[in-house]
Amino acid sequence: MSTANLTTASPVSESHALGDNEVNPMASVSERLQAETTAVRLKIHWPSVRKTLSSDQTRQAAGTFDADTKSVSASKKLLDTNHPAFRAATAVRKQAADHWKANTLPYTEPGIRLIKRVDVPTFDVFMTSVRAELNEAVEQLELHFDELIDQARERLGDLFDPADYEMNLHRLFGIEWDYPSCNPPEYLLQVSPQLYYSECSRVQHRFDEAVKLAEQAFADELEQLVTHLGERLRGDGDGSPKVFRDTAVTNLTEFLDRFQRLNIRSDDQLDRLVADARRIVGGVVPQQLREQSELRQRVATELSRVEASLEGWMTERPRRSILRRSR
């Protein structure tokens, strides 16, 4: 898939004199974010595996319990989603969604995130590969589809309806992505300069909010990972260590690497807290923490200080309602 034009319109006249890969050194954090990123939208097409019962079927179900039909809603499960072939397709879907989220920053519009422009070619190649994997998984699912329908016929009894099933599965599954523009169209400048610059101001406000969203998302994840690892290392009240999985450490180190790649350099204190966490767990492997009590105690103590500082940072920046809308 070819990528869209990734140039960014800006109401600031100086920016037009800069090259495509240059950023105004006097730009604010949000202006820099706008100049360094582009929007990316992921769409995953997936069949519904449940269907609401008809009015007659719902009325019959309500009658079984002598219930008011208006107070009852019921659906039937069309396919066994635990079948290995269906689970294989679901795993590919998760891979696509996880990669999209892990390599992008949040934005104010639902379904859209921000990707660094230098990462677009790699992202495009990866998603193209994942789409091919999904096509292969769907082909394997088609080989087992008659089996799944037979199972549904037996499981659903009188509720089974062959019309519920689309036999061409490739129409139901799909992965698409595009790079929608966050900026007002250039023609608007000719039509109404006042409206154009008003729209530019609105876009800039959205990027101001995007900076806050990114900071909050990073802080939330860091707090969760640091708290979890610290609790596992501190152990129970009697001093005995808790059992912990390797992922308690590796998830934190992977976050630190991702922060370094996506960091928008907007808050020095948050940068320092991340750097402290990196220093504490840098070079430490899970088995060392299990075997060396002194190391385990030191890491737990230092993580507690990061956790306390992070709580203070977050207290000074109350959550915004926009966070809930963007997730």
Side-chain angles (χ1 to χ4, degrees):
M1 172 177 287
S2 60
T3 58
N5 183 359
L6 303 182
T7 57
T8 301
S10 171
V12 183
S13 59
E14 290 85 353
S15 65
H16 294 289
L18 297 172
D20 288 344
N21 297 320
E22 296 180 77
V23 179
N24 188 340
M26 301 301 293
S28 66
V29 174
S30 60
E31 290 171 339
R32 180 157 42 81
L33 179 65
Q34 185 177 6
E36 294 178 351
T37 65
T38 189
V40 58
R41 175 171 50 200
L42 177 65
K43 295 180 181 179
I44 299 180
H45 304 284
W46 207 256
S48 174
V49 296
R50 289 187 176 276
K51 184 175 182 179
T52 303
L53 297 186
S54 66
S55 298
D56 290 341
Q57 291 168 337
T58 301
R59 191 160 37 247
Q60 182 178 350
T64 302
F65 300 98
D66 195 24
D68 184 349
T69 304
K70 295 181 180 180
S71 301
V72 174
S73 61
S75 64
K76 55 184 178 180
K77 188 175 181 180
L78 302 177
L79 294 171
D80 176 15
T81 55
N82 287 320
H83 189 283
F86 198 96
R87 291 178 63 183
T90 302
V92 178
R93 177 182 66 175
K94 184 178 185 302
Q95 184 182 6
D98 287 350
H99 185 82
W100 175 62
K101 187 173 182 180
N103 291 275
T104 57
L105 296 167
Y107 189 57
T108 58
E109 294 186 25
I112 291 179
R113 293 177 68 84
L114 300 175
I115 184 171
K116 288 196 172 184
R117 297 184 181 190
V118 296
D119 293 337
V120 168
T122 303
F123 178 84
D124 215 62
V125 169
F126 182 89
M127 297 305 294
T128 300
S129 174
V130 171
R131 182 168 58 189
E133 288 185 37
L134 180 61
N135 288 335
E136 293 177 3
V138 172
E139 289 176 0
Q140 291 299 312
L141 181 59
E142 284 183 323
L143 298 177
H144 297 275
F145 202 53
D146 288 342
E147 174 190 345
L148 285 167
I149 292 179
D150 288 341
Q151 291 176 354
R153 181 183 289 107
E154 181 178 350
R155 188 178 65 252
L156 292 173
D158 292 339
L159 292 177
F160 178 80
D161 183 353
D164 291 334
Y165 300 88
E166 166 66 63
M167 300 308 294
N168 187 343
L169 296 185
H170 285 280
R171 295 179 182 176
L172 304 179
F173 294 85
I175 295 177
E176 298 178 3
W177 63 98
D178 64 347
Y179 307 95
S181 174
C182 294
N183 302 298
E186 291 289 346
Y187 74 80
L188 197 59
L189 182 60
Q190 304 299 324
V191 175
S192 173
Q194 181 179 359
L195 179 58
Y196 173 77
Y197 287 114
S198 175
E199 286 296 293
C200 286
S201 177
R202 181 180 61 84
V203 168
Q204 191 60 57
H205 176 71
R206 287 188 172 185
F207 275 88
D208 290 340
E209 293 295 335
V211 170
K212 297 180 177 64
L213 288 175
E215 291 176 349
Q216 189 69 59
F218 281 137
D220 284 345
E221 188 171 1
L222 179 61
E223 180 190 38
Q224 179 183 359
L225 294 170
V226 167
T227 299
H228 176 67
L229 178 56
E231 288 177 347
R232 307 313 296 179
L233 296 179
R234 285 190 292 272
D236 298 319
D238 59 2
S240 59
K242 293 182 178 179
V243 176
F244 69 91
R245 298 179 182 273
D246 289 0
T247 52
V249 178
T250 58
N251 286 347
L252 176 56
T253 56
E254 288 173 1
F255 164 80
L256 297 174
D257 290 340
R258 190 167 70 253
F259 180 87
Q260 185 172 355
R261 285 190 294 106
L262 299 177
N263 184 19
I264 58 176
R265 308 180 303 282
S266 61
D267 189 282
D268 291 341
Q269 185 179 356
L270 181 59
D271 289 350
R272 286 194 297 270
L273 290 172
V274 173
D276 285 344
R278 181 181 295 278
R279 174 185 55 79
I280 294 168
V281 299
V284 175
V285 298
Q287 195 59 33
Q288 288 178 310
L289 294 173
R290 295 188 182 96
E291 297 174 349
Q292 303 176 26
S293 59
E294 184 177 341
L295 174 63
R296 184 172 61 247
Q297 183 59 45
R298 177 179 65 79
V299 171
T301 300
E302 294 190 4
L303 286 179
S304 295
R305 285 197 286 266
V306 172
E307 184 180 349
S309 298
L310 188 58
E311 288 178 357
W313 182 92
M314 297 177 71
T315 300
E316 296 173 1
R317 292 162 175 77
R319 287 179 176 272
R320 294 169 174 260
S321 60
I322 194 171
L323 284 174
R324 292 189 290 274
R325 295 200 301 270
S326 68
R327 289 179 177 173

